Amino acid sequence: MEPRKEKVSVTATPAVRWALAGGLAVWTALGFTPLSRPLPLPASAPDSEFSAERAMVTVRAIAQRPHPVGSADHDRVRDYVLGEFTRLGLTPTTQAGIGTFGRYSGKAENILARLPGTANTRPLMLAAHYDSTKRGPGAGDDAHAVAVLLETLRALRQSAPLRNDCIFLVTDGEEDGMLGAALFMREHRWHGEPGVVLNFEARGTGGAATMFETSTPNAWMIRALRRAVPAANATSFAYEVYRRMPNNTDLSVFKQGLAGMNFAFIEHPEWYHRPQDDPAHLDLRSVQEQGNYALALAREFGAQDLNQPHSGNAVYFPTLLTPLIVYSTAWVRLLAWLTLFVIAAAAQSGWVRSVRGFWFAFVLAIPVILQFVVASTAPGVSYLLEWPLVGVGIAFAVWMTAPPVIGFGWRLAVLLLAPAPSFLLIAPMLHSLIVALGPREGGIVVAVAALWLLITVSPQLKLVV
Ligand SMILES: [Zn+2]
């Protein structure tokens, strides 16, 4: 019996080294390839579709100048939006009063319109705010979203009517402290009706539009999101991060009573609440993505029985190669035990066969323990530890245990595929983390993520170097 010889033969063959190095290069390239994004549809697109170019007409009309609460431009925008709802065949109303949210309080005047369904169960609601700050014309924040609502309404009216009613709520005073949303939730007679709210926001002027926040329980909404937009850009990681941040949007208010999801793009945060947040700097692809979410989800939720009770949260993330992956958080703990078992089994055989293998398992013990902490405190983040650990555990186990009779090619295939989850799950987040957190905090997180990438591909690196 010559187990050592067998192991050396894996490390020594130049063909294996080249194959592994090539495989790692391919995974790296795939991991850093951005998710594909839709092109903005032209104004000539079919009537039943969402066109970013058509929406831009509204953006240009609203975002001519700053239009904060109390300004003449604010009233001009309000009248323009009311006129657009009327032009699209609805009868809009306004709701004026004092909104109060936490330490904020002040005047707001919301705009509401309702598209009747054929057999309403509960309405769905699309929401965006029409006020801007004093410092910029607010093309991204949040004129684009008002345009998304109006273009979605236009497209809905050009296709088969929905089963459920659809409420369009254009709130006021968001920049002064979610005042319009608070006013709606406290006083409006429709406030308890919506079965789900979709809120559209921006914290910059471009980049991929993501679904970054939900109410709980969220599993049913995430599954609907995958049905409506299979390539949706949404991670339960973002949900866990945002949940812990002090930032507020109108959804913070709606969530106190209603189910909902929040959509935004966040690139060029340096232009957020600045004069550059104008139509010329707005990324049309971001508008198209927001519109695709709004229209597809209006049709999805518009067809559902929104009276159904729901329970359970989901872990969810996109990959380059599949539709949005969604599974219940109930699986998180089981997965943690599975990875523990795989790594422990590999470590046990590593102990028998090589001291190096034992030390490797010792290093992996840290993330293996950490995943149990994450599973109970932030299950939405767990996939970033668990799937790479499954991959590294399998690679490690094969490396340590495969007898020579198991084909050489088979072992190589496992070693090539094992780093896939590391690259496909971790690498795509690095860019958005820097944008979201800024270079300093983002840099720290990126360094940790890079270290984690390095640890999880170390079985492969060990055989290449
Ligand atoms: Zn905003």
Side-chain angles (χ1 to χ4, degrees):
M1 190 179 134
E2 293 178 323
R4 274 162 194 276
K5 279 265 162 52
E6 172 264 315
K7 184 158 60 65
V8 169
S9 75
V10 177
T11 51
T13 316
V16 171
R17 281 189 194 183
W18 281 110
L20 280 171
L24 284 177
V26 168
W27 285 126
T28 311
L30 270 177
F32 287 94
T33 304
L35 296 171
S36 70
R37 301 183 58 195
L39 288 172
L41 291 187
S44 58
D47 278 346
S48 59
E49 289 183 38
F50 184 98
S51 154
E53 264 187 29
R54 287 194 287 249
M56 281 307 289
V57 175
T58 306
V59 175
R60 286 187 207 103
I62 295 177
Q64 296 171 18
R65 290 171 292 277
H67 42 283
V69 175
S71 68
D73 261 278
H74 173 273
D75 293 357
R76 178 187 65 78
V77 171
R78 177 200 59 209
D79 294 343
Y80 169 80
V81 174
L82 282 166
E84 287 299 290
F85 277 119
T86 308
R87 194 174 64 79
L88 290 167
L90 300 190
T91 311
T93 54
T94 58
Q95 178 203 15
I98 303 292
T100 305
F101 180 65
R103 60 197 163 91
Y104 307 106
S105 188
K107 277 206 298 193
E109 187 172 2
N110 296 326
I111 301 166
L112 295 109
R114 187 162 180 150
L115 177 67
T118 53
N120 184 42
T121 59
R122 281 179 82 174
L124 70 118
M125 184 163 87
L126 303 183
H129 67 88
Y130 73 93
D131 63 310
S132 77
T133 65
K134 289 197 281 281
R135 299 184 294 278
D141 179 22
D142 200 19
H144 96 273
V146 178
V148 161
L149 264 54
L150 289 167
E151 171 64 7
T152 298
L153 168 62
R154 193 205 53 71
L156 286 174
R157 288 189 66 85
Q158 296 300 321
S159 33
L162 302 176
R163 174 187 184 185
N164 294 323
D165 293 2
C166 184
I167 295 174
F168 295 83
L169 171 59
V170 184
T171 65
D172 191 15
E174 195 272 351
E175 303 291 0
D176 297 338
M178 286 58 71
L179 305 179
L183 177 66
F184 172 81
M185 287 302 280
R186 201 188 59 213
E187 289 180 12
H188 201 278
R189 63 194 165 91
W190 295 345
H191 82 271
E193 284 190 53
V196 64
V197 186
L198 309 175
N199 189 58
F200 295 88
E201 264 290 355
R203 215 182 154 75
T205 60
T210 62
M211 196 291 289
F212 67 100
E213 183 193 10
T214 73
S215 60
T216 51
N218 66 19
W220 71 282
M221 286 186 284
I222 304 295
R223 294 207 166 89
L225 176 64
R226 180 178 55 187
R227 278 194 300 275
V229 186
N233 190 326
T235 62
S236 46
F237 172 82
Y239 159 81
E240 295 283 4
V241 171
Y242 191 83
R243 198 157 81 85
R244 288 163 170 79
M245 280 163 59
N247 306 23
N248 278 311
T249 69
D250 280 344
L251 193 77
S252 315
V253 183
F254 299 138
K255 274 201 312 189
Q256 300 174 351
L258 302 175
M261 293 196 273
N262 217 351
F263 301 81
F265 47 87
I266 59 168
E267 281 191 16
H268 291 296
E270 71 279 12
W271 293 338
Y272 172 62
H273 291 175
R274 291 285 178 278
Q276 292 91 335
D277 186 7
D278 61 12
H281 288 88
L282 188 59
D283 178 354
L284 251 70
R285 284 176 309 171
S286 311
V287 177
Q288 184 69 44
E289 286 168 322
Q290 294 276 72
N292 290 352
Y293 288 128
L295 183 57
L297 282 168
R299 288 182 173 139
E300 170 67 31
F301 288 123
Q304 280 189 21
D305 177 0
L306 290 179
N307 274 317
Q308 294 289 322
H310 297 285
S311 64
N313 287 320
V315 177
Y316 50 97
F317 49 88
T319 82
L320 204 64
L321 309 173
T322 66
L324 188 69
I325 306 255
V326 185
Y327 56 92
S328 161
T329 51
W331 291 100
V332 167
R333 221 166 267 274
L334 197 70
L335 262 170
W337 282 106
L338 178 74
T339 58
L340 172 67
F341 175 77
V342 171
I343 303 257
Q348 202 272 338
S349 42
W351 173 252
V352 174
R353 279 166 96 158
S354 97
V355 175
R356 265 190 305 174
F358 173 76
W359 280 109
F360 184 64
F362 190 75
V363 170
L364 282 183
I366 298 162
V368 168
I369 294 166
L370 189 63
Q371 65 168 349
F372 283 96
V373 178
V374 169
S376 54
T377 55
V381 178
S382 62
Y383 71 96
L384 289 172
L385 281 169
E386 292 184 337
W387 291 110
L389 270 175
V390 168
V392 76
I394 291 172
F396 184 39
V398 168
W399 177 27
M400 284 296 127
T401 62
V405 281
I406 292 181
F408 197 61
W410 184 84
R411 259 182 290 168
L412 189 61
V414 170
L415 286 168
L416 278 175
L417 294 174
S422 298
F423 281 106
L424 293 178
L425 301 182
I426 298 169
M429 300 190 357
L430 301 183
H431 174 245
S432 52
L433 275 173
I434 295 183
V435 173
L437 300 171
R440 200 154 43 116
E441 286 89 347
I444 296 168
V445 180
V446 168
V448 173
L451 182 67
W452 179 221
L453 264 180
L454 207 64
I455 289 173
T456 56
V457 297
S458 52
Q460 284 73 18
L461 289 177
K462 189 90 207 148
L463 292 172
V464 174
V465 185

